[in-house]
Amino acid sequence: MAIFEKSSEKAVTRAIIAGFTKDMEKFADTDVIVVGGGPSGLIAARDLALKDVKVLIIERNNYLGGGFWLGGFLMNTITIRAPAHKILDELEIKHEEFEKGLHVVPGPLACSKLIAAACEAGAGVINMCSFDDVVLREKNRVSGAVVNWTPVSLLPKAVNCVDPIAFESKLVIDATGHDAVVVKKLEERGLIKTPGFGAMWIEKSEDAVVEHTGLAHPGLIVVGMSVSTTFGLPRMGPTFGSMLLSGRKGAEVAYKLLKKN
Ligand code: 48F
């Protein structure tokens, strides 16, 4: 007596293709594209999806979470400074206070719950997919993302003749961490100038990242460590409170802009 229901190779193949195609068709034209599924991108996507904004996360790795799995130096204890621990409470992630205002939480727990929160809120995800370029419209407004499968983008140029595809959106959020790949693409085109991030100073950097989170160019919002690269702020150090607060602020900025237009 078999344990599982009957099925076949062709049914499994069709189920995969149909499910994926349905999602991709839905997001070909979306409200917001979040490039990068680290902590700042995940919270931004989750907050927007909770407000019924159509949001797609594009992540180059197979896994979401970015640097949020590890606290620093390959040690998986995450540190979060108050008041960002309130977001952990909101997501029902258990944490401890190491010393006044400095909270600790196991990376795998915090990261997996944040990923689940973004997905449960309704954010779409396309993983193993790399941002390649921006879509630009009138007055060089960022209006979407050109993407290709990560394995394709890693092929040597000599054997890579696979055209990318593009998703259109009202807004793009650069949540790609230190690399700030969307911002850098605009810089390559002479539309923006970035100073790159400065030396580590945790006390200053966390506040500065949240303060500078917002519109970097028409149609483009920066959150998380890409804010440091864009505005020349001190690098973060291994603490994540501002990644969560910056992602949340980025979502608020996006929501206001969407309501205005
Ligand atoms: O680096 P990452 O975690 O960015 P973040 O949200 O958080 C930064 C912290 O992890 C840490 C820190 C603060 O304590 O200093 O570094 O700002 O996540 C960035 C995500 O973007 C993806 C990358 O794989 C990662 O998951 N990413 C980077 N380039 C691309 C990309 C690309 N070209 N296309 C798609 N995804």
Side-chain angles (χ1 to χ4, degrees):
M1 172 88 170
I3 298 171
F4 291 99
E5 286 285 344
K6 282 183 118 190
S7 191
S8 64
E9 281 71 15
K10 58 181 177 281
V12 170
T13 301
R14 281 183 187 136
I16 293 170
I17 294 171
F20 184 75
T21 307
K22 193 168 136 233
D23 281 356
M24 288 312 107
E25 233 167 26
K26 175 174 167 197
F27 289 110
D29 182 15
T30 191
D31 293 323
V32 180
I33 292 172
V34 176
V35 185
S40 64
L42 286 169
I43 194 81
R46 181 243 181 198
D47 282 7
L48 285 167
L50 280 182
K51 289 180 170 154
D52 285 331
V53 171
K54 210 159 106 179
V55 53
L56 174 68
I57 301 171
I58 291 170
E59 169 54 54
R60 79 174 162 194
N61 278 325
N62 192 16
Y63 61 90
L64 293 167
F68 206 41
W69 293 102
L70 292 165
F73 201 57
L74 290 185
M75 299 189 194
N76 67 7
T77 296
I78 299 281
T79 60
I80 307 257
R81 290 162 67 206
H85 68 292
K86 290 184 189 155
I87 295 188
L88 299 180
D89 293 336
E90 192 183 312
L91 299 177
E92 298 182 352
I93 301 171
K94 239 173 103 186
H95 56 92
E96 285 172 20
E97 198 168 24
F98 175 75
E99 61 175 42
K100 192 175 173 311
L102 182 62
H103 298 255
V104 289
V105 56
L109 174 66
C111 198
S112 57
K113 289 204 97 171
L114 180 55
I115 294 167
C119 294
E120 275 170 4
V125 176
I126 178 162
N127 47 347
M128 283 301 264
C129 180
S130 291
F131 167 88
D132 184 55
D133 205 346
V134 282
V135 174
L136 292 179
R137 287 289 180 269
E138 290 75 22
K139 297 185 183 162
N140 287 324
R141 182 190 167 81
V142 176
S143 306
V146 180
V147 303
N148 216 331
W149 295 120
T150 300
V152 169
S153 60
L154 292 176
L155 285 171
K157 282 278 175 278
V159 288
N160 176 354
C161 52
V162 181
D163 263 339
I165 58 164
F167 294 93
E168 287 188 36
S169 64
K170 298 186 179 103
L171 292 168
V172 172
I173 296 182
D174 188 340
T176 58
H178 294 286
D179 293 346
V181 296
V182 188
V183 170
K184 289 284 177 191
K185 200 39 99 170
L186 292 182
E187 187 165 35
E188 250 176 68
R189 296 184 186 288
L191 296 171
I192 210 170
K193 184 103 194 77
T194 67
F197 59 85
M200 193 186 290
W201 194 347
I202 287 175
E203 275 285 325
K204 289 234 177 277
S205 63
E206 288 225 270
D207 282 14
V209 162
V210 179
E211 275 158 22
H212 285 77
T213 295
L215 212 56
H217 182 86
L220 177 65
I221 290 167
V222 284
V223 300
M225 282 317 293
S226 70
V227 177
S228 295
T229 302
T230 306
F231 297 107
L233 311 176
R235 63 186 293 174
M236 182 64 46
T239 192
F240 289 80
S242 57
M243 298 300 101
L244 301 178
L245 293 190
S246 167
R248 171 151 289 177
K249 185 177 172 191
E252 284 162 8
V253 173
Y255 191 69
K256 274 192 197 134
L257 285 168
L258 291 171
K259 288 281 133 199
K260 222 161 73 182
N261 297 316

XYZ file of all heavy atoms in Angstrom, residues 27-80:
401
model
N 3.645 39.672 -11.429
C 4.616 40.694 -11.034
C 5.333 41.366 -12.203
O 6.206 42.192 -11.988
C 5.633 40.094 -10.060
C 5.041 39.799 -8.707
C 4.837 38.498 -8.289
C 4.656 40.839 -7.870
C 4.271 38.226 -7.047
C 4.086 40.581 -6.634
C 3.893 39.272 -6.213
N 4.961 41.023 -13.444
C 5.620 41.673 -14.593
C 5.413 43.176 -14.527
O 6.270 43.967 -14.934
C 5.062 41.114 -15.895
N 4.282 43.578 -13.973
C 3.975 44.993 -13.777
C 3.547 45.124 -12.326
O 2.483 44.648 -11.947
C 2.830 45.380 -14.730
C 2.485 46.848 -14.624
O 3.289 47.608 -14.048
O 1.407 47.223 -15.120
N 4.397 45.730 -11.512
C 4.140 45.720 -10.074
C 4.284 47.118 -9.485
O 4.752 48.044 -10.158
C 5.072 44.683 -9.402
O 4.663 44.483 -8.070
C 6.520 45.103 -9.406
N 3.859 47.293 -8.240
C 4.000 48.610 -7.600
C 5.468 48.866 -7.236
O 6.038 49.895 -7.557
C 3.147 48.688 -6.321
C 1.648 48.654 -6.623
O 1.255 49.250 -7.637
O 0.895 48.033 -5.858
N 6.046 47.898 -6.524
C 7.411 48.088 -6.008
C 8.248 46.836 -6.261
O 7.791 45.723 -6.011
C 7.383 48.378 -4.480
C 8.802 48.584 -3.946
C 6.525 49.605 -4.164
N 9.471 47.052 -6.753
C 10.451 45.969 -6.825
C 11.482 46.229 -5.737
O 12.049 47.338 -5.661
C 11.163 45.944 -8.200
C 10.182 45.546 -9.299
C 12.365 44.995 -8.165
C 10.752 45.684 -10.703
N 11.718 45.234 -4.896
C 12.783 45.335 -3.897
C 13.941 44.492 -4.413
O 13.801 43.273 -4.572
C 12.310 44.807 -2.514
C 13.461 44.821 -1.522
C 11.143 45.640 -1.992
N 15.063 45.123 -4.694
C 16.228 44.366 -5.159
C 17.074 44.026 -3.927
O 17.587 44.924 -3.259
C 17.064 45.161 -6.187
C 18.192 44.293 -6.729
C 16.186 45.673 -7.323
N 17.186 42.725 -3.629
C 17.952 42.275 -2.474
C 17.052 41.875 -1.326
O 16.256 42.680 -0.842
N 17.184 40.622 -0.904
C 16.325 40.081 0.154
C 17.036 39.920 1.474
O 16.873 38.923 2.164
N 17.881 40.910 1.854
C 18.482 40.922 3.192
C 17.488 41.506 4.192
O 16.312 41.714 3.862
N 17.938 41.794 5.428
C 16.999 42.262 6.450
C 16.254 43.535 6.066
O 15.040 43.632 6.289
C 17.887 42.487 7.685
C 19.292 42.518 7.179
C 19.309 41.651 5.968
N 16.943 44.513 5.467
C 16.264 45.781 5.145
C 15.237 45.573 4.033
O 14.130 46.119 4.079
C 17.277 46.863 4.756
O 17.960 46.507 3.580
N 15.591 44.770 3.026
C 14.662 44.508 1.920
C 13.463 43.699 2.369
O 12.324 43.949 1.946
N 13.710 42.725 3.259
C 12.611 41.865 3.717
C 11.587 42.643 4.534
O 10.377 42.483 4.335
C 13.159 40.707 4.566
C 13.865 39.588 3.794
C 14.598 38.660 4.756
C 12.878 38.789 2.945
N 12.051 43.512 5.424
C 11.073 44.243 6.246
C 10.339 45.269 5.386
O 9.131 45.480 5.548
C 11.738 44.868 7.513
C 10.684 45.315 8.517
C 12.652 46.006 7.209
C 10.137 44.226 9.373
N 11.053 45.872 4.424
C 10.386 46.839 3.528
C 9.290 46.131 2.735
O 8.156 46.613 2.635
C 11.406 47.470 2.584
N 9.618 44.962 2.196
C 8.645 44.205 1.390
C 7.465 43.760 2.246
O 6.301 43.844 1.837
C 9.326 42.993 0.765
N 7.755 43.323 3.452
C 6.686 42.847 4.344
C 5.743 43.993 4.701
O 4.519 43.858 4.617
C 7.325 42.258 5.598
C 6.359 41.705 6.610
C 6.456 42.479 7.880
N 5.548 41.964 8.887
C 5.176 42.643 9.942
N 5.652 43.852 10.136
N 4.350 42.131 10.814
N 6.308 45.146 5.078
C 5.453 46.276 5.475
C 4.586 46.732 4.309
O 3.410 47.045 4.486
C 6.315 47.451 5.971
C 6.805 47.230 7.401
O 6.590 46.132 7.942
O 7.410 48.158 7.969
N 5.148 46.767 3.109
C 4.371 47.207 1.938
C 3.284 46.191 1.601
O 2.135 46.557 1.338
C 5.303 47.413 0.735
C 6.156 48.686 0.803
C 7.266 48.652 -0.235
C 5.293 49.934 0.610
N 3.648 44.909 1.611
C 2.660 43.876 1.274
C 1.495 43.890 2.261
O 0.344 43.674 1.876
C 3.327 42.498 1.245
N 1.792 44.174 3.528
C 0.718 44.243 4.531
C -0.271 45.361 4.226
O -1.410 45.329 4.667
C 1.296 44.454 5.935
C 1.856 43.221 6.637
C 2.345 43.579 8.030
C 0.830 42.088 6.719
N 0.213 46.380 3.470
C -0.688 47.487 3.090
C -1.286 47.250 1.709
O -1.689 48.202 1.032
C 0.096 48.791 3.099
C 0.460 49.252 4.494
C 1.235 50.547 4.425
C 1.398 51.168 5.791
N 2.572 52.023 5.878
N -1.242 46.006 1.247
C -1.806 45.630 -0.050
C -1.083 46.245 -1.237
O -1.670 46.436 -2.310
C -3.299 45.977 -0.133
C -4.114 45.001 0.684
O -3.665 43.844 0.825
O -5.166 45.409 1.209
N 0.183 46.586 -1.041
C 1.005 47.052 -2.163
C 1.570 45.808 -2.847
O 1.993 44.855 -2.179
C 2.148 47.961 -1.646
C 3.137 48.282 -2.756
C 1.576 49.234 -1.036
N 1.557 45.809 -4.185
C 2.095 44.659 -4.935
C 3.623 44.796 -4.966
O 4.144 45.768 -5.528
C 1.522 44.700 -6.364
C 1.361 43.344 -6.993
C 0.346 43.426 -8.129
C 1.019 43.365 -9.450
N 0.165 43.420 -10.609
N 4.310 43.863 -4.321
C 5.770 44.016 -4.170
C 6.485 42.707 -4.493
O 6.075 41.637 -4.076
C 6.101 44.547 -2.741
C 5.490 43.716 -1.653
C 7.602 44.655 -2.517
N 7.546 42.843 -5.268
C 8.352 41.681 -5.694
C 9.780 41.836 -5.196
O 10.411 42.866 -5.431
C 8.353 41.596 -7.231
C 9.275 40.530 -7.838
C 8.780 39.112 -7.518
C 9.383 40.700 -9.362
N 10.284 40.797 -4.530
C 11.699 40.778 -4.112
C 12.505 40.025 -5.162
O 12.151 38.894 -5.527
C 11.875 40.053 -2.751
C 11.061 40.726 -1.646
C 13.347 39.968 -2.376
C 11.030 39.931 -0.333
N 13.583 40.656 -5.633
C 14.496 39.978 -6.564
C 15.784 39.682 -5.801
O 16.439 40.600 -5.291
C 14.773 40.870 -7.792
C 13.495 40.972 -8.621
C 15.915 40.310 -8.633
C 13.557 42.002 -9.712
N 16.129 38.412 -5.694
C 17.292 38.013 -4.880
C 18.231 37.129 -5.717
O 17.804 36.147 -6.291
C 16.798 37.265 -3.627
C 17.878 36.566 -2.832
C 19.033 37.464 -2.417
O 18.791 38.508 -1.806
O 20.190 37.121 -2.720
N 19.503 37.500 -5.711
C 20.454 36.771 -6.580
C 20.842 35.401 -6.019
O 21.252 34.514 -6.751
C 21.693 37.613 -6.843
C 22.663 37.610 -5.735
C 23.954 38.320 -6.025
N 24.592 38.588 -4.756
C 25.578 39.397 -4.565
N 26.064 40.062 -5.577
N 26.099 39.569 -3.376
N 20.734 35.237 -4.705
C 21.075 33.943 -4.123
C 19.875 33.007 -4.150
O 18.746 33.443 -4.355
C 21.494 34.104 -2.658
C 22.939 34.513 -2.533
O 23.777 34.096 -3.329
N 23.227 35.339 -1.553
N 20.132 31.739 -3.873
C 19.032 30.789 -3.727
C 18.247 31.111 -2.447
O 17.030 31.011 -2.409
C 19.611 29.375 -3.653
C 18.542 28.318 -3.784
O 17.430 28.625 -4.226
N 18.839 27.119 -3.388
N 18.972 31.540 -1.409
C 18.314 31.811 -0.128
C 18.118 33.312 0.088
O 18.920 34.128 -0.364
C 19.149 31.246 1.030
C 20.533 31.860 1.129
C 20.750 32.994 1.904
C 21.617 31.319 0.441
C 22.004 33.574 1.985
C 22.871 31.883 0.508
C 23.065 33.018 1.286
O 24.296 33.607 1.359
N 17.027 33.656 0.762
C 16.807 35.031 1.200
C 17.513 35.224 2.551
O 17.864 34.268 3.213
C 15.309 35.285 1.396
C 14.431 35.253 0.146
C 12.966 35.194 0.540
C 14.693 36.463 -0.725
N 17.657 36.478 2.957
C 18.175 36.754 4.314
C 19.456 37.574 4.325
O 19.782 38.200 5.328
N 20.226 37.541 3.225
C 21.469 38.320 3.155
C 22.360 38.039 4.348
O 22.586 36.882 4.721
N 22.825 39.109 4.995
C 23.760 38.978 6.120
C 23.089 38.685 7.451
O 23.758 38.641 8.489
N 21.776 38.471 7.434
C 21.022 38.353 8.685
C 21.140 36.963 9.330
O 20.703 36.764 10.453
C 19.557 38.698 8.403
C 18.787 39.228 9.595
C 19.348 40.135 10.481
C 17.472 38.848 9.812
C 18.631 40.641 11.564
C 16.735 39.345 10.890
C 17.324 40.237 11.764
N 21.724 36.011 8.610
C 21.897 34.672 9.198
C 23.030 34.675 10.225
O 23.053 33.881 11.150
C 22.218 33.631 8.111
C 21.084 33.385 7.177
C 20.950 33.880 5.909
C 19.912 32.600 7.411
N 19.775 33.450 5.354
C 19.122 32.663 6.253
C 19.455 31.843 8.508
C 17.894 31.999 6.146
C 18.244 31.179 8.394
C 17.476 31.267 7.228
N 24.005 35.573 10.010
C 25.201 35.610 10.858
C 25.331 36.971 11.527
O 25.084 38.003 10.903
C 26.452 35.344 10.017
C 26.580 33.930 9.451
C 27.638 33.888 8.369
C 26.912 32.940 10.565
N 25.747 36.984 12.799
C 25.869 38.253 13.517
C 27.117 39.023 13.128
O 27.119 40.237 12.985
N 28.206 38.325 12.955
C 29.479 38.938 12.600
C 30.571 37.913 12.831
O 30.437 37.036 13.696
N 31.642 37.958 12.051
C 32.802 37.084 12.262
C 32.388 35.611 12.265
O 32.848 34.804 13.059
C 33.457 37.460 13.606
C 34.884 37.038 13.725
C 35.828 37.452 12.805
C 35.299 36.230 14.787
C 37.160 37.062 12.928
C 36.611 35.832 14.923
C 37.548 36.258 13.993
N 31.431 35.289 11.374
C 30.899 33.919 11.238
C 30.228 33.394 12.508
O 30.082 32.194 12.693
C 31.977 32.920 10.788
C 32.502 33.023 9.363
C 33.474 31.874 9.068
C 31.367 32.977 8.351
N 29.849 34.303 13.420
C 29.153 33.865 14.640
C 27.699 34.284 14.520
O 27.407 35.451 14.264
C 29.782 34.514 15.863
C 31.237 34.125 16.025
S 31.829 34.708 17.602
C 33.577 34.534 17.368
N 26.793 33.316 14.729
C 25.404 33.592 14.327
C 24.515 34.206 15.414
O 23.313 34.022 15.401
C 24.766 32.349 13.705
C 24.573 31.230 14.694
O 24.802 31.417 15.880
N 24.146 30.080 14.216
N 25.116 34.980 16.333
C 24.300 35.768 17.270
C 24.127 37.169 16.695
O 25.103 37.859 16.419
C 24.977 35.857 18.656
O 25.050 34.544 19.197
C 24.168 36.750 19.595
N 22.858 37.556 16.513
C 22.549 38.878 15.941
C 22.379 39.884 17.080
O 21.743 39.576 18.083
C 21.212 38.802 15.154
C 21.305 37.799 13.998
C 20.745 40.183 14.699
C 21.996 38.278 12.772
N 22.939 41.083 16.915
C 22.708 42.143 17.903
C 21.783 43.205 17.311
O 21.883 43.546 16.133
C 24.028 42.822 18.336
O 24.652 43.397 17.187
C 24.972 41.850 19.003
N 20.877 43.672 18.150
C 19.894 44.694 17.750
C 19.819 45.731 18.865
O 19.542 45.369 20.015
C 18.483 44.069 17.573
C 18.508 42.879 16.624
C 17.437 45.126 17.219
C 18.003 43.103 15.236
